[in-house]
Amino acid sequence: MPSHLDHWHHRRLGAEVLRAGVGFAVFAGHATNVTLVTLDASGREKRHAMLPHPNGIWSGLLRGARAGLRYGYYVDGSRDRSQGHAHEPTTRLVDPRARAFDGAFIETKALRSHGHNDARPWSVVVDDAHDDDGAPRHPRAFATRPAIAWRDTVLYEAHVRGLTMRHPDIPEEIRGTYAALAHPVMLAHYRAIGITTLELLPVFEWATEEHLVDKDLTNYWGYAPVGYFAAARHFARNPENANEEFRLAVQALHEAGFEVVLDVVFNHTGEGGEDSNGQGMSWHFRGLDRRAYYRTAKGHPNRLIDFSGCGNTLDVDHPRVVEFILDALRHWVGTMGVDGFRFDLAATLARSHGSFHAPSKALEGIRSDPMLGSVKLIAEPWDLGPDGYRLGHFGQPFREWNDRFRDAVRAFWIGDGRSLGDFATRIAGSSDFFPAERGGATASINYVTAHDGFTLADLVAYDHKHNEANREGNRDGWDANRSWNGGIEGPTYTPSIVAERRRRMRSILATLLLAAGTPLLAHGDERARTQLGNNNAYCQDNPLAWVDWQHITDGGDDLVAWVSKLVQLRRDNACFRPEKPLRDHGPDRGDVAWYAPSGTRMTPANWQSSEAALSWVLVEPESREGGFAIVANGTREPGVFTLPPTPHGGGVWTVVLDASLRFPAGYRLDAGDVVVLASGTAMILEE
């Protein structure tokens, strides 16, 4: 028989280290009995009956317990699937709020059928409030927060392991770890390319799904979270010290002036979906209270709703789920020191009874929280549910990933000029989605490539995806990549094609980094990183997906310097960092003027042209001083351009950067001069 825990008036859910022992509290609203199980130093299990509360919380104080204790829960209750319940009293569950774990989250058929507790991980009690010497902890990373303004922000999306695993100048024993993120050679690289903010792919403890285990693959990206309060041990030099290693890395990055934003997944969990018999993986939520934590079909609680494409959807209508999300975010800001979050499939967080409502409980809770409302908040503004595409609907203080920018820029630089107007709108700050009242230009997170899809080098080297290594028959991943290989699929030494690809990479980067909005650069694109045409490397924890720091592929020899110059140009000139979308009334009255290749102002007929070629002229939005022109030939043939007039009548343009490398920096050209730009070329001029 289990012993009984002492009464404890819990201040928070989870495990809390107290003077008298450890207090435990967990939500299991439909349970009839919850038992705490602990593992002592000799490997013996002890069971302790938890005390129920009217609000569905079970709690108790285990006297004498300390940090490091292994624990879990057995939860009894209804197993009536028709009513949405999935309690399995013989299955040991982890605490969803645990700060650490012992054992792997690897899904197998045996674990899905419940029981098999020897193969299940344990939760571990962690004392977040005190250092090892017992002194109160004051997060150092929080105290040194850089707080970079949005208009000055340049995001760098990175995978902790993939970024540094192949770096020869990082000690082998720390490659791929949190510590490597802040190694001096990495800090020097961040400074060299001018980024301000690391946007890390998931670092929560995650599970590897059964279908990957069966193929001898693994979950590399980490979008299957199970431990929302625990830094992934996979990225730690010492797995038992993952949280502290993460905190120290954040502190070091802050001291060097860089921010850290986390990609977080609160739309679904790593428990996945259910089979035709209603059986699913139970790590925690499903066994604790499936009906409370997961969204189910109206009138059919046995059927999970899947707005994520991953088998389940967290029910953000339930107050305990919202509380869980807010507490997790506060933990990562207040205890771990991070500077913000990018919310994966964020439309799910704004669903009330299945429909999208931007002032949802979750989003309003984040906005109104004194701690969370002041950090960087980024939404991926869609999910797979009905009416799930919600770009521009999240409102301040959220910024949003802008896939319309991605698609328009890709289309232009593969020579498709059928959407010139859309391209210009994206370059000018996407005023149709982000007018001033919705956050303005900086609310648009501009990106062309990211973890999902082709890398920059592959965008100009492949017409088709090549995902055979994923062992899904090349059926996974996008088919509509808006890419062009230049004439040969994949690697080539043909000089003309190599030169074509290099020009287009430089031009795409110039478009990304000089457009109105907040740019996001995918890690390794500044070195022409290739995944050999794999546009869905979610399961490739190997050199295919890691940044190669030793071997430079086509174009990578000069891209780091190219990116550095572009970011410096952006930093030094406010016309590339407007807070409001650019006004298209000409430099004399507005911020931008658009010109046809003939050198005359764009007409309706020009905007309807299918030719991917135009120029635009910018002036400083406040002082009206200075001026720049960008001449862009996205076609697949050389293009003839008459240079537009200078905004202040000087009549002389000076070359700043030329993606074809034909015109050196400082070369002078007169307004009205006729120049021939190679295919795929962007040229930046200054008055």
Side-chain angles (χ1 to χ4, degrees):
M1 293 292 293
S3 63
H4 285 273
L5 299 171
D6 288 349
H7 284 277
W8 174 51
H9 296 290
H10 59 275
R11 292 178 296 176
R12 69 179 194 188
L13 299 182
E16 183 175 359
V17 178
L18 308 166
R19 289 184 179 181
V22 175
F24 296 90
V26 65
F27 173 72
H30 291 93
T32 57
N33 188 58
V34 177
T35 302
L36 172 73
V37 56
T38 59
L39 189 69
D40 65 20
S42 65
R44 292 180 301 179
E45 293 188 11
K46 292 189 66 176
R47 300 195 180 199
H48 317 269
M50 299 192 77
L51 305 172
H53 297 264
N55 55 8
I57 292 174
W58 298 73
S59 69
L61 173 66
L62 182 60
R63 291 194 176 276
R66 306 310 304 162
L69 178 70
R70 271 61 177 164
Y71 72 101
Y73 296 110
Y74 289 106
V75 180
D76 201 355
S78 172
R79 290 179 284 284
D80 185 351
R81 296 273 175 177
S82 68
Q83 296 303 309
H85 301 303
H87 298 107
E88 292 291 343
T90 62
T91 296
R92 189 182 73 240
L93 306 173
V94 297
D95 183 352
R97 292 170 174 263
R99 268 58 169 173
F101 300 94
D102 181 13
F105 291 96
I106 299 177
E107 181 183 341
T108 64
K109 288 183 175 65
L111 288 180
R112 283 175 67 91
S113 63
H114 307 293
H116 298 277
N117 292 315
D118 289 345
R120 288 178 168 273
W122 289 87
S123 309
V124 180
V125 175
V126 171
D127 186 359
D128 282 329
H130 301 87
D131 290 320
D132 292 339
D133 60 3
R137 169 173 283 143
H138 300 286
R140 295 166 299 240
F142 184 88
T144 55
R145 195 182 302 283
I148 296 166
W150 272 114
R151 70 177 301 177
D152 300 323
T153 297
V154 179
L155 295 161
Y156 188 66
E157 187 194 41
H159 186 281
V160 173
R161 184 168 167 84
L163 180 60
T164 63
M165 275 298 292
R166 303 182 72 184
H167 204 303
D169 297 327
I170 294 177
E172 186 173 358
E173 63 272 17
I174 68 167
R175 292 176 193 167
T177 69
Y178 300 120
L181 287 176
H183 188 277
V185 300
M186 293 309 304
L187 298 179
H189 181 70
Y190 307 148
R191 293 190 186 99
I193 59 176
I195 63 103
T196 66
T197 307
L198 291 177
E199 183 179 303
L200 299 180
L201 267 67
V203 301
F204 296 177
E205 279 279 357
W206 71 83
T208 291
E209 301 91 330
E210 179 186 340
H211 74 96
L212 294 176
V213 175
D214 291 344
K215 296 172 185 173
D216 198 28
L217 296 170
T218 189
N219 187 325
Y220 171 60
W221 286 347
Y223 289 94
V226 287
Y228 289 81
F229 289 72
R233 293 161 292 167
H234 188 60
F235 301 143
R237 184 176 182 182
N238 176 6
E240 294 184 0
N241 201 36
N243 292 330
E244 185 62 15
E245 289 186 27
F246 178 87
R247 274 192 292 262
L248 290 173
V250 172
Q251 178 190 354
L253 287 161
H254 282 178
E255 290 173 351
F258 300 104
E259 295 178 313
V260 178
V261 169
L262 301 185
D263 195 336
V264 294
V265 184
F266 290 107
N267 55 80
H268 75 281
T269 80
E271 291 188 316
E274 296 173 345
D275 61 25
S276 57
N277 296 318
Q279 295 292 318
M281 188 65 218
S282 290
W283 295 119
H284 43 47
F285 288 149
R286 184 174 272 115
L288 285 169
D289 197 335
R290 174 189 179 278
R291 186 159 177 174
Y293 282 107
Y294 291 121
R295 192 177 291 280
T296 57
K298 185 177 181 180
H300 300 279
N302 60 312
R303 286 169 36 201
L304 292 177
I305 286 178
D306 182 8
F307 291 156
S308 66
C310 298
N312 64 59
T313 305
L314 281 172
D315 186 359
V316 294
D317 281 325
H318 199 288
R320 289 297 178 191
V321 174
V322 174
E323 177 188 49
F324 178 86
I325 292 170
L326 296 179
D327 285 350
L329 296 175
R330 293 186 195 104
H331 169 72
W332 286 95
V333 174
T335 301
M336 308 297 267
V338 304
D339 302 279
F341 306 96
R342 179 264 190 187
F343 295 90
D344 180 68
L345 298 183
T348 297
L349 294 176
R351 289 192 176 276
S352 177
H353 304 290
S355 300
F356 183 92
H357 295 282
S360 67
K361 296 175 184 176
L363 296 186
E364 288 306 301
I366 294 169
R367 282 192 183 94
S368 61
D369 187 272
M371 181 184 292
L372 302 179
S374 63
V375 300
K376 282 186 161 66
L377 301 171
I378 302 169
E380 183 182 37
W382 51 79
D383 66 12
L384 302 185
D387 200 25
Y389 186 79
R390 308 302 301 186
L391 179 65
H393 285 79
F394 281 77
Q396 298 191 57
F398 285 89
R399 271 61 183 172
E400 303 178 34
W401 270 35
N402 189 348
D403 64 326
R404 291 286 296 272
F405 180 95
R406 175 199 66 197
D407 293 347
V409 171
R410 286 188 178 196
F412 181 88
W413 288 112
I414 65 171
D416 183 356
R418 289 174 295 179
S419 301
L420 275 182
D422 191 40
F423 174 75
T425 301
R426 304 305 143 221
I427 297 302
S430 295
S431 60
D432 49 347
F433 292 107
F434 302 108
E437 62 270 20
R438 292 188 185 177
T442 65
S444 174
I445 303 297
N446 296 338
Y447 70 105
V448 180
T449 60
H451 65 278
D452 190 3
F454 278 152
T455 66
L456 176 63
D458 289 353
L459 195 64
V460 300
Y462 293 91
D463 280 358
H464 309 287
K465 66 185 182 185
H466 296 269
N467 297 356
E468 290 80 7
N470 297 353
R471 303 179 187 177
E472 297 180 37
N474 203 33
R475 294 184 299 272
D476 61 302
W478 296 343
D479 290 311
N481 292 289
R482 291 181 171 87
S483 62
W484 181 47
N485 62 24
I488 295 177
E489 187 79 349
T492 181
Y493 293 103
T494 304
S496 61
I497 296 177
V498 171
E500 177 83 42
R501 292 175 178 178
R502 291 181 178 183
R503 286 196 302 273
R504 290 188 185 271
M505 282 192 287
R506 296 187 197 103
S507 296
I508 290 170
L509 288 167
T511 310
L512 170 67
L513 293 167
L514 299 182
T518 303
L520 179 142
L521 180 69
H523 78 189
D525 274 356
E526 74 278 16
R527 293 181 57 83
R529 181 176 78 89
T530 179
Q531 292 179 167
L532 301 179
N534 191 316
N535 72 353
N536 189 33
Y538 77 104
C539 55
Q540 300 295 329
D541 189 2
N542 55 56
L544 177 71
W546 302 339
V547 177
D548 187 347
W549 294 91
Q550 292 181 282
H551 304 96
I552 302 294
T553 53
D554 287 349
D557 50 352
D558 62 296
L559 280 190
V560 170
W562 180 260
V563 169
S564 178
K565 292 174 183 176
L566 287 168
V567 175
Q568 186 65 47
L569 187 63
R570 176 186 180 84
R571 184 184 303 125
D572 291 345
N573 297 278
C575 62
F576 299 121
R577 297 179 292 109
E579 298 200 60
K580 299 177 182 178
L582 301 176
R583 296 168 297 164
D584 181 10
H585 299 299
D588 54 335
R589 290 177 293 132
D591 309 311
V592 62
W594 303 93
Y595 291 88
S598 62
T600 59
R601 292 292 300 273
M602 291 284 284
T603 66
N606 294 136
W607 286 119
Q608 296 302 317
S609 169
S610 61
E611 185 180 33
L614 79 168
S615 304
W616 59 99
V617 175
L618 301 162
V619 295
E620 298 289 348
E622 296 176 1
S623 67
R624 317 300 300 162
E625 297 176 356
F628 289 87
I630 299 177
V631 187
N633 178 23
T635 72
R636 300 183 182 185
E637 302 293 337
V640 178
F641 288 80
T642 298
L643 296 183
T646 56
H648 297 99
V652 177
W653 292 109
T654 300
V655 174
V656 179
L657 291 168
D658 172 21
S660 71
L661 306 183
R662 174 188 172 196
F663 294 101
Y667 191 87
R668 294 165 66 88
L669 293 164
D670 291 332
D673 279 355
V674 176
V675 298
V676 177
L677 291 190
S679 59
T681 294
M683 183 167 64
I684 298 96
L685 307 169
E686 183 175 11
E687 185 180 15

